[in-house]
Amino acid sequence: MPWTPFILSAKCRIFGMWWAEIPTMASLVDVPVVLVGGLRSIEKINQYLNEPTNEARAKCKPACTLPCKEEEADRQTKIEYISLSRPLIREPNLIQRWQQGDTKPSLCVSCNACYRTPGHQCIFNLRNK
């Protein structure tokens, strides 16, 4: 039977949750989790993928400033995939740029104009040609 992913959006409130609850939500399902929407920086992506669940946070002492053992053990979320669309339309070599150490956020401004051009091209890239 083909798997059906559980899709969570990073850019908006989902089911009354904020992004900090995404790792906890991901831990509650038994299917692959895909994080979509609003992902523009490798720093934020790493934060989403390494955020402890609320359950792990609850095991720590309130005054603790460093991650507890329980929090460290539960550091990686069950998010298995991320989705990038518009950032890759604006910068097709974005992943390569990040891999080479230039970790500035994507130049994409989320204007959605790329979806209204032939071939889904970034209007800012078209203007600069």
Side-chain angles (χ1 to χ4, degrees), residues 31-42:
V31 295
V33 177
V34 182
L35 186 61
V36 303
L39 301 171
R40 299 290 178 266
S41 78
I42 192 70

Side-chain angles (χ1 to χ4, degrees), residues 8-9 15 24 42 71 91 98 103 108 115 128:
L8 291 172
S9 174
F15 308 119
T24 299
I42 192 70
E71 192 172 304
E91 293 181 82
W98 285 345
T103 58
C108 178
Y115 293 128
N128 294 332

